[in-house]
Amino acid sequence: MFSGNFGRGFVEGLAKAVDRGVRDDMERMKDDTSRLARVRFERGVREQERYEEDMKNNLDNIKDMSRKVGSADAVQFLIDRHGFAEAQNIANTLYQRKQKSGGVFDIQGALGLEQRKGASITAKQLAEFVTPAMKIPEVTGGEDVAGGFMRLFGGDPTKEIQRRSDALLSAQGIPTDIKTSTVDMPEAVGGRGIREWELYTLDDPAADSKRLRSIAQQMMVEGTETGNESMVNEAHEVMAQSNIRLDEATSLQNIGKPRTPTEVARSTSITTAFLASIHGVAKQGGYQDDVYTDQGMAQGQFRTLSTAADTLEQVANEALSKGMSPQAVSNAKRKAARENRILIFNPVSDKMRGFIDGGTFTYGEVDSLILNKNKIFPASPVQNPPPPGGGGGAVIPPNQVTAAMSTQKAAYKTAGTKGRQIIIDKLTQTLNPATGTNFTSQEAQDYLES
């Protein structure tokens, strides 16, 4: 058996050994805690540098995109539709098209953006939105620091590491309570967007016309076979764009010269088809020998479209004769047609002639090209069959026939040739409920004989 002195000596020696071990572990833990706090601080500094660099680059990119497409709202629309990376590509492509058109190509008009209600978004808000939020690294390695006797006694320096590193970060001006970015910004504006066949074009208008014609034919076949009315309508619009580009190619041969009556008539037909595609009635018309005709379209609608097209072509003819490029004229016509504004050509003054060719385009008020367009072209146009014995006019619903119209119809039945013509002429001075415009002579006769 061991003596009492030996037992006491063993216990005292063990206690001293434990005390030395605890002190050694405490010193090592202090050193490791300082080291890990420093590591976390340095990672936080690098993360802030990464965030600031990304934020600066993204802000510069968004400001550049806003300059190219016209507004931060347009940039937000592109990012919302396509993502940030693809939005940059689209913005560059649109800007290149505008440059090639001499500044006439209207980017926001091509995107079909709706009007913003309320405050617009800022470039800084968009940059904050697309930049990954800054994340201060979590405390790691704390469980490995508490080794030996400190682990035995439950020592854990994690909180101390965080406290020390947070203090270092705060002293550096780096926030430590960063959360996932929840930027409070307006929603993206609505809009039609630009379709792929519109976005990418060929410089040669004749080649581009062939490209668009091929796309239109494919769309028409697929839309017809699948019963996709939206695709059929779009096919008509693509075909109209194809003809517009072909018209540009023809005009390039006669820059600075007035077009012949035949050329003007062809351009007017092309513009009529384009207007019909905009107002949703293109499929009710059709092509005969490359000329767009009314076919099953209500005559009042076709007449309205033809009149608007003729108005645009008169301005276009003047601009072309003054040396404006066919592409600039074409872009101006399309902008006026899409926004339903009259087109105005401003030729250069006599003092500037010889230094600057052509002139500039401006536009009238919204809805100044086709008045009462919503009444003439309902949101969901319906193709009406021609009335019995008529020549293609639209059917007038019985509940829209006025008492005066009924009286005229009854008188027409018993009138002679001269009397019938008087009644027809009188009816052309009144409104046709089916079209929202005055009766044409043919529409009046169709109604009276139905």
Side-chain angles (χ1 to χ4, degrees):
M1 294 183 64
F2 296 110
S3 65
N5 289 334
F6 177 81
R8 283 194 300 276
F10 175 78
V11 171
E12 289 175 357
L14 178 62
K16 289 179 180 179
V18 169
D19 183 54
R20 283 195 302 273
V22 169
R23 286 201 303 270
D24 290 345
D25 281 353
M26 287 181 64
E27 288 301 321
R28 182 174 62 79
M29 189 172 75
K30 287 180 181 179
D31 292 341
D32 286 348
T33 296
S34 296
R35 178 178 60 81
L36 289 175
R38 188 73 188 179
V39 168
R40 181 170 180 261
F41 163 71
E42 290 172 352
R43 288 177 178 172
V45 170
R46 289 197 296 271
E47 173 64 7
Q48 185 193 42
E49 290 173 348
R50 188 278 310 166
Y51 176 79
E52 290 180 346
E53 183 177 0
D54 286 355
M55 179 68 180
K56 179 181 181 302
N57 290 336
N58 289 336
L59 182 59
D60 289 344
N61 284 336
I62 287 170
K63 286 181 177 179
D64 183 59
M65 292 170 69
S66 299
R67 176 183 64 83
K68 288 177 175 176
V69 300
S71 70
D73 284 334
V75 174
Q76 183 189 21
F77 175 84
L78 291 175
I79 293 173
D80 185 64
R81 288 288 184 92
H82 306 283
F84 187 39
E86 183 61 17
Q88 293 178 70
N89 294 332
I90 293 174
N92 288 332
T93 302
L94 290 171
Y95 182 68
Q96 289 169 6
R97 283 193 61 184
K98 184 173 182 178
Q99 294 296 96
K100 288 181 179 179
S101 74
V104 177
F105 176 69
D106 178 31
I107 292 176
Q108 300 212 27
L111 293 174
L113 297 183
E114 297 175 359
Q115 288 291 325
R116 164 73 79 184
K117 295 180 180 179
S120 293
I121 195 167
T122 65
K124 185 173 184 296
Q125 285 177 311
L126 277 175
E128 289 174 346
F129 177 74
V130 301
T131 303
M134 189 169 72
K135 295 181 180 179
I136 299 300
E138 298 291 334
V139 176
T140 58
E143 65 279 3
D144 298 327
V145 171
F149 286 104
M150 293 308 297
R151 185 185 298 277
L152 180 65
F153 296 142
D156 184 0
T158 299
K159 291 183 179 179
E160 180 61 16
I161 294 172
Q162 180 159 347
R163 186 191 68 77
R164 291 190 186 187
S165 56
D166 281 355
L168 290 171
L169 290 167
S170 296
Q172 191 74 11
I174 302 173
T176 58
D177 58 348
I178 297 172
K179 300 178 181 178
T180 301
S181 177
T182 53
V183 180
D184 182 18
M185 63 182 191
E187 292 185 1
V189 295
R192 174 179 58 81
I194 190 163
R195 293 153 293 191
E196 188 172 355
W197 58 265
E198 293 176 294
L199 180 61
Y200 301 103
T201 63
L202 302 177
D203 291 340
D204 180 2
D208 200 40
S209 175
K210 290 181 180 179
R211 176 187 71 90
L212 290 168
R213 181 174 292 270
S214 176
I215 293 172
Q217 290 168 344
Q218 293 171 22
M219 280 186 169
M220 178 60 74
V221 171
E222 183 179 346
T224 302
E225 290 179 348
T226 61
N228 188 332
E229 287 296 308
S230 177
M231 184 174 290
V232 169
N233 290 333
E234 189 172 348
H236 280 281
E237 185 174 356
V238 180
M239 183 60 76
Q241 293 277 14
S242 170
N243 289 329
I244 287 173
R245 292 291 274 160
L246 185 60
D247 195 42
E248 287 180 30
T250 303
S251 298
L252 281 171
Q253 302 171 11
N254 300 301
I255 294 179
K257 300 178 182 178
R259 293 178 295 178
T260 67
T262 300
E263 291 171 338
V264 172
R266 175 174 169 75
S267 293
T268 301
S269 173
I270 290 171
T271 303
T272 300
F274 180 62
L275 285 165
S277 71
I278 292 173
H279 295 288
V281 294
K283 66 179 182 180
Q284 298 180 35
Y287 293 92
Q288 293 181 357
D289 298 326
D290 289 334
V291 176
Y292 189 75
T293 63
D294 56 351
Q295 290 191 359
M297 189 187 302
Q299 290 186 5
Q301 292 179 332
F302 187 78
R303 185 177 65 253
T304 298
L305 296 173
S306 298
T307 300
D310 184 61
T311 300
L312 293 174
E313 288 305 325
Q314 288 182 30
V315 178
N317 201 38
E318 180 188 3
L320 289 169
S321 69
K322 298 295 184 182
M324 291 292 286
S325 75
Q327 187 180 31
V329 173
S330 178
N331 286 329
K333 285 194 297 182
R334 279 181 282 188
K335 175 180 171 65
R338 285 196 182 281
E339 297 180 7
N340 196 29
R341 300 171 184 261
I342 59 172
L343 180 61
I344 303 167
F345 175 64
N346 309 291
V348 295
S349 65
D350 292 337
K351 291 182 179 180
M352 298 301 295
R353 190 170 289 114
F355 294 91
I356 300 176
D357 293 329
T360 60
F361 289 108
T362 52
Y363 304 87
E365 298 293 327
V366 174
D367 292 338
S368 57
L369 180 62
I370 296 178
L371 305 178
N372 302 317
K373 69 168 185 177
N374 293 333
K375 190 172 183 180
I376 301 171
F377 304 102
S380 300
V382 177
Q383 184 174 1
N384 295 310
V395 173
I396 302 172
N399 62 349
Q400 293 185 15
V401 176
T402 65
M405 289 167 58
S406 296
T407 301
Q408 289 170 330
K409 188 172 186 178
Y412 184 86
K413 300 294 184 184
T414 58
T417 301
K418 188 174 181 179
R420 287 189 173 190
Q421 188 58 53
I422 292 173
I423 294 172
I424 289 174
D425 292 342
K426 188 172 182 180
L427 194 55
T428 59
Q429 300 173 26
T430 61
L431 193 69
N432 182 345
T435 65
T437 59
N438 283 2
F439 281 91
T440 65
S441 296
Q442 185 62 58
E443 287 171 350
Q445 184 175 350
D446 291 341
Y447 164 70
L448 295 169
E449 293 180 354
S450 63

